[in-house]
Amino acid sequence: MKILFLNGPNLNLLGRREPEVYGTTTLADIEKQVRTAAEPFKAGIDFRQSNLEGELVNWIQEAKGKFNVIVLNAAAYTHTSIALRDAIAAVGVPTIEIHLSNVHAREEFRHKSLIAPVCCGQIIGFGQKSYVLAVEAAVYVNGSKKSP
Ligand code: DQA
């Protein structure tokens, strides 16, 4: 199986971005952890980051037929992007929403996710472990063909 990890805006700054909220681990370190976690499942990993909403939309569209599951940390676009939500709904590749921080324990504007209703589940608040847990969730989702 193949899993596409997509990371939204400002996640390229992990490690030096608000370390009290997001920790000191870089996105490259997280990618390594994801690849290690995927090995026992023999799952192929593609791991990308973009600050551009349209690029994320393009990648979601292109995932059809190439990836079994998308794991998406849409970062701030989680709370604003109808375009990402529509792309996930249109393409139909099972998508798991993840976040490093517990968005529900933060500002009110982070409590609402526009993508949640079209995702098959959420993993929120476990720091870099959210990504590692998402590997197992993706394998489960692929096996059970779970959809929203
Ligand atoms: C985030 C949470 C979002 O609210 C925020 O805009 C981010 C990161 C997280 O992983 O905790 O950029 O998605």
Side-chain angles (χ1 to χ4, degrees):
M1 75 170 290
K2 289 177 94 176
I3 310 170
L4 176 60
F5 275 78
L6 294 182
N7 295 282
N10 301 306
L11 293 172
N12 54 313
L13 300 180
L14 281 183
R16 48 202 166 96
R17 171 195 183 198
E18 298 179 85
E20 67 287 358
V21 178
Y22 298 114
T24 52
T25 309
T26 65
L27 195 60
D29 289 335
I30 292 176
E31 179 179 352
K32 272 187 214 143
Q33 290 179 29
V34 164
R35 291 188 183 284
T36 303
E39 274 168 22
F41 300 108
K42 302 206 183 321
I45 301 293
D46 201 323
F47 198 96
R48 306 179 194 168
Q49 188 275 332
S50 178
N51 292 326
L52 306 180
E53 186 177 16
E55 188 158 40
L56 294 162
V57 168
N58 284 342
W59 285 341
I60 291 168
Q61 290 184 9
E62 289 161 13
K64 184 84 188 165
K66 296 197 188 114
F67 293 93
N68 303 89
V69 180
I70 297 171
V71 175
L72 175 61
N73 185 348
Y77 291 142
T78 306
H79 318 296
T80 63
S81 180
I82 298 169
L84 281 181
R85 176 197 173 117
D86 285 353
I88 296 163
V91 165
V93 177
T95 300
I96 298 168
E97 174 181 355
I98 67 166
H99 298 284
L100 294 149
S101 63
N102 179 359
V103 287
H104 299 291
R106 300 180 63 195
E107 302 95 326
E108 202 168 333
F109 63 83
R110 295 185 205 277
H111 297 182
K112 177 78 184 163
S113 166
L114 295 189
I115 64 171
V118 293
C119 288
C120 41
Q122 299 171 306
I123 300 173
I124 294 174
F126 300 102
Q128 56 197 278
K129 281 283 175 213
S130 291
Y131 284 76
V132 172
L133 292 167
V135 172
E136 192 170 341
V139 171
Y140 166 70
V141 162
N142 188 46
S144 66
K145 299 290 174 228
K146 188 177 183 295
S147 51

